[in-house]
């Protein structure tokens, strides 16, 4: 079952942050890569700001009453990057500035929206990712976004195979990432 994120539900927020860590190393569990067991460098870049700044574009996948995945999106990446830079968090101002700079890719005006999709291993390979992508794309489109992009870690072979199957095409790749776009 897919549904919108409930901002008042702290447990739901925590579930999203946990999934961010459990899928945060090129699609695999990032727990062992955390410095001092601190999840914030991951979650404060890739999950929490989307829940706080763009909750309308947060979709959750639920199974047996448990959150097993999510799609997060931002319709206007330039605006999101500015808000990210100014959002108080455990990241330092310089870390926020650097991350915000990285969000504004050269193609951002043609593909202004961006998204993330992550599912726990048990929920993968059953069409949930496709449904999450379609759900968040519909919301981004309804908000007026003319194009969508996302960047995939080149080591993430599952995601590299997935996005072309759900309407995205590869635009360019380098050692930092593979850029996919959808008009
Ligand atoms: C990548 C991910 C979002 C895909 O979601 P999913 O629910 O597993 O994928 P679906 O079942 O909806 O598959 C949709 C299509 O992509 C293909 N696909 C999905 N994962 C694939 C994989 N690992 N290898 C090959 N093809 C794959 C499916 O075969 C299917 O193709 P078809 O419908 O044309 O036959 C999910 O596996 C995931 O969350 N992985 C871990 C986190 C991650 O890597 N997130 C992306 C970060 S950029």
């Amino acid at each position: 079952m897919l549904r919108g994120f409930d901002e008042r539900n702290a447990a739901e927020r925590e579930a999203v942050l946990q999934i961010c860590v459990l899928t945060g190393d090129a699609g695999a569990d990032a727990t062992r890569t955390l410095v001092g067991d601190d999840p914030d460098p991951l979650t404060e870049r890739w999950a929490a700001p989307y829940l706080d700044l763009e909750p309308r574009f947060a979709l959750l996948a639920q199974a047996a009453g448990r959150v097993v995945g999510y799609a997060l999106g931002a319709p206007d990446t330039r605006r999101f990057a500015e808000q990210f830079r100014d959002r108080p968090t455990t990241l330092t101002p310089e870390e926020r500035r650097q991350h915000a700079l990285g969000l504004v890719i050269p193609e951002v005006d043609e593909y202004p929206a961006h998204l993330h999709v992550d599912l726990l291993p048990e929920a993968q390979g059953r069409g949930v990712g496709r449904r999450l992508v379609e759900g968040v794309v519909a919301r981004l489109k309804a908000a007026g976004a003319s194009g969508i992009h996302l960047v995939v870690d080149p080591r993430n072979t599952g995601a590299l195979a997935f996005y072309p199957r759900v309407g995205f095409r590869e635009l360019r790749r380098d050692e930092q990432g593979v850029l996919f776009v959808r008009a």
Side-chain angles (χ1 to χ4, degrees):
M1 180 183 101
L2 300 196
R3 61 182 177 78
F5 167 63
D6 177 1
E7 289 175 75
R8 294 158 306 175
N9 188 332
E12 204 157 272
R13 179 187 176 83
E14 194 48 40
V16 169
L17 303 189
Q18 278 177 10
I19 294 170
C20 174
V21 172
L22 292 172
T23 58
D25 184 15
D29 187 353
T31 304
R32 281 180 311 144
T33 71
L34 300 178
V35 177
D37 285 339
D38 181 9
D40 283 15
L42 269 183
T43 58
E44 291 296 320
R45 285 180 171 88
W46 305 111
Y50 296 86
L51 300 178
D52 292 345
L53 300 172
E54 300 288 6
R56 286 190 305 134
F57 303 96
L59 270 184
L60 304 184
Q62 202 169 322
R66 201 162 76 93
V67 177
V68 293
Y70 58 73
L72 305 174
D76 179 343
T77 298
R78 281 191 189 278
R79 186 186 66 200
F80 180 82
E82 278 171 27
Q83 293 174 335
F84 181 98
R85 198 191 50 212
D86 299 337
R87 175 177 169 272
T89 159
T90 49
L91 301 179
T92 66
E94 180 56 18
E95 285 170 336
R96 298 202 309 258
R97 197 182 72 80
Q98 286 297 338
H99 184 78
L101 274 176
L103 287 172
V104 183
I105 59 164
E107 296 84 355
V108 74
D109 292 323
E110 198 174 352
Y111 303 98
H114 76 276
L115 61 81
H116 301 286
V117 184
D118 291 309
L119 291 170
L120 291 176
E122 73 224 44
Q124 295 173 13
R126 300 173 178 197
V128 181
R130 180 189 289 282
R131 285 167 50 220
L132 281 170
V133 165
E134 290 313 326
V136 74
V137 164
R139 288 180 182 214
L140 293 166
K141 206 169 159 185
S146 54
I148 302 172
H149 72 269
L150 57 92
V151 180
V152 177
D153 186 314
R155 297 173 298 152
N156 191 342
T157 51
L160 293 177
F162 169 70
Y163 287 109
R165 312 292 298 183
V166 294
F168 284 80
R169 77 183 162 90
E170 184 179 326
L171 200 61
R172 63 174 165 82
R173 75 165 68 198
D174 55 35
E175 59 285 354
Q176 259 92 53
V178 183
L179 176 68
F180 284 95
V181 297
R182 177 166 158 173

